[in-house]
Amino acid sequence: MSERRPSVAALSAPMVEALVADAEILRLGVSRSPCGARIIDGGIAARGGIEAGRRIAEICLGGLGRVGIATSGRFPRWGTMITVTTLDPVTACLGSQYAGWSLAEGDFFALGSGPGRALWAREKLYEELGYRDSADHAALVLEVDRTPPDSLVARIAEECGISADRLTLILTPTSSLAGTVQIVARVLEVALHKTHALHFPLDRVVDGIGSSPLPPPAPDFVAAMGRTNDATLYGGDVQLFVTGPESEARDLAEGLPSSSSRDHGRTFAEIFTAYKGDFYAMDPMLFSPARVTVTALETGRSFTFGAFHDEILERSFA
């Protein structure tokens, strides 16, 4: 994939600065780490909120996507929907939003997502995308409930090729309102990641839109993680618009929904507990939306597979 891709760092930078400028009304905390990096607290000591999560999700998309919140009649009780659209779904979702950077030091572990990943760009995925960003600043989103060690913060800046004072880390615990929103806003990214896993050529994905119900946050980590995953696994809806043969669009639609997984049918928390907390023992094909429609642009035909499961969402969210 050799076409020129936009700079997710450049596009998201004004959004990061606006987030900092509005930190007080968004109930966010802003501080500097000992090495000079800017730390935005989206739900650890600060309260955060839904609007903060929506804006953090747009930063995670590298300035190439929009996240909307609106009501829907899809489910009787859980009527608030998070909807994601992008200008460039592959760059926004896989080149920026996907949580692909493993960050560990001592007993601290997190997956980094957002535009800073494209400066580091050491994942194999970036070779396939033919993409690497360049900038003198970086922003990463970490789904954590504590601040990373300062030595790790300094290393992140170094690996991005920037000075520490030009690094912004946005911290959003899974159990927080902001964290819940920014995770559920990955519904389109989840579909694109599985599209990649199914070996469908990413350069044939022209556009996409996705939506998932917004669950209430839960103070317990496993319950919170379960609800944010179940929102997409059993309530998520994605439409992709692709080029190429109609038959291949149909095959993609049939393979994408979460129902194609052996683990489908139980809440995420139940599955996670059954595997004794071993996330990597779970079937990776589970991580996809409940329902998927793929439209073949050459013929205009659309193919829909999968179904919503209100009863599982009720068991998970209630």
Side-chain angles (χ1 to χ4, degrees), residues 5 21 90 99 108 117 140 154 160 187 208 212 266:
R5 295 183 180 276
V90 173
F108 180 89
R117 272 180 60 239
L140 279 177
C160 286
V187 56
S212 282
R266 295 174 289 172

Side-chain angles (χ1 to χ4, degrees), residues 48-137:
I50 291 171
E51 173 61 13
R54 187 194 69 78
R55 289 170 62 167
I56 291 167
E58 291 188 340
I59 290 168
C60 232
L61 287 160
L64 286 168
R66 293 292 176 264
V67 176
I69 301 175
T71 56
S72 164
R74 185 184 305 174
F75 302 106
R77 189 174 179 190
W78 315 107
T80 302
M81 287 288 154
I82 305 293
T83 300
V84 182
T85 57
T86 76
L87 300 169
D88 179 343
V90 173
T91 305
C93 294
L94 298 183
S96 186
Q97 188 184 30
Y98 174 60
W101 189 354
S102 295
L103 300 165
E105 185 157 324
D107 64 351
F108 180 89
F109 175 78
L111 292 172
S113 62
R117 272 180 60 239
L119 294 177
W120 176 64
R122 294 183 193 170
E123 298 163 48
K124 185 181 177 183
L125 177 60
Y126 284 100
E127 293 180 25
E128 299 178 41
L129 296 178
Y131 180 58
R132 187 186 187 108
D133 203 0
S134 177
D136 65 355
H137 57 272

Side-chain angles (χ1 to χ4, degrees), residues 214-231:
L214 177 65
D220 174 73
F221 172 73
V222 173
M225 179 175 61
R227 289 178 177 183
T228 53
N229 277 282
D230 289 335

Side-chain angles (χ1 to χ4, degrees), residues 10 12-13 22 35 39 61 64 87 156 158 160 200 280 284 289:
S12 60
D22 293 342
C35 72
I39 307 294
L61 287 160
L64 286 168
L87 300 169
I156 292 169
E158 182 181 356
C160 286
F200 187 88
Y280 295 100

Side-chain angles (χ1 to χ4, degrees), residues 5-298:
R5 295 183 180 276
S7 168
V8 290
L11 289 171
S12 60
M15 304 169 79
V16 175
E17 296 310 314
L19 191 74
V20 171
D22 293 342
E24 185 175 355
I25 60 172
L26 292 170
R27 302 191 297 267
L28 299 172
V30 181
S31 61
R32 289 279 176 181
S33 73
C35 72
R38 186 165 54 186
I39 307 294
I40 300 177
D41 175 2
I44 303 173
R47 173 62 67 184
I50 291 171
E51 173 61 13
R54 187 194 69 78
R55 289 170 62 167
I56 291 167
E58 291 188 340
I59 290 168
C60 232
L61 287 160
L64 286 168
R66 293 292 176 264
V67 176
I69 301 175
T71 56
S72 164
R74 185 184 305 174
F75 302 106
R77 189 174 179 190
W78 315 107
T80 302
M81 287 288 154
I82 305 293
T83 300
V84 182
T85 57
T86 76
L87 300 169
D88 179 343
V90 173
T91 305
C93 294
L94 298 183
S96 186
Q97 188 184 30
Y98 174 60
W101 189 354
S102 295
L103 300 165
E105 185 157 324
D107 64 351
F108 180 89
F109 175 78
L111 292 172
S113 62
R117 272 180 60 239
L119 294 177
W120 176 64
R122 294 183 193 170
E123 298 163 48
K124 185 181 177 183
L125 177 60
Y126 284 100
E127 293 180 25
E128 299 178 41
L129 296 178
Y131 180 58
R132 187 186 187 108
D133 203 0
S134 177
D136 65 355
H137 57 272
L140 279 177
V141 175
L142 307 183
E143 187 186 330
V144 292
D145 59 6
R146 62 189 175 111
T147 303
D150 198 55
S151 52
L152 177 58
V153 176
R155 177 154 55 87
I156 292 169
E158 182 181 356
E159 295 198 18
C160 286
I162 62 172
S163 61
D165 64 342
R166 301 287 284 165
L167 173 66
T168 299
L169 297 181
I170 305 172
L171 313 181
T172 58
T174 310
S175 59
S176 68
L177 281 166
T180 299
V181 172
Q182 76 91 11
I183 296 168
V184 174
R186 296 171 185 270
V187 56
L188 182 58
E189 174 257 294
V190 166
L192 284 168
H193 187 260
K194 189 167 180 181
T195 296
H196 177 246
L198 293 172
H199 306 292
F200 187 88
L202 294 175
D203 57 356
R204 285 170 45 191
V205 179
V206 176
D207 218 330
I209 185 168
S211 62
S212 282
L214 177 65
D220 174 73
F221 172 73
V222 173
M225 179 175 61
R227 289 178 177 183
T228 53
N229 277 282
D230 289 335
T232 290
L233 301 182
Y234 300 110
D237 193 22
V238 164
Q239 184 168 8
L240 298 180
F241 301 85
V242 304
T243 60
E246 181 182 283
S247 61
E248 294 180 16
R250 186 191 186 282
D251 289 344
L252 177 62
E254 187 172 16
L256 273 176
S258 57
S259 55
S260 66
S261 166
R262 67 172 187 265
D263 287 329
H264 182 271
R266 295 174 289 172
T267 68
F268 185 89
E270 289 166 349
I271 300 167
F272 188 74
T273 302
Y275 283 111
K276 297 180 171 56
D278 185 354
F279 185 84
Y280 295 100
M282 299 173 69
D283 181 8
M285 293 294 103
L286 176 68
F287 298 96
S288 46
R291 189 178 76 173
V292 176
T293 299
V294 179
T295 298
L297 290 172
E298 270 81 354

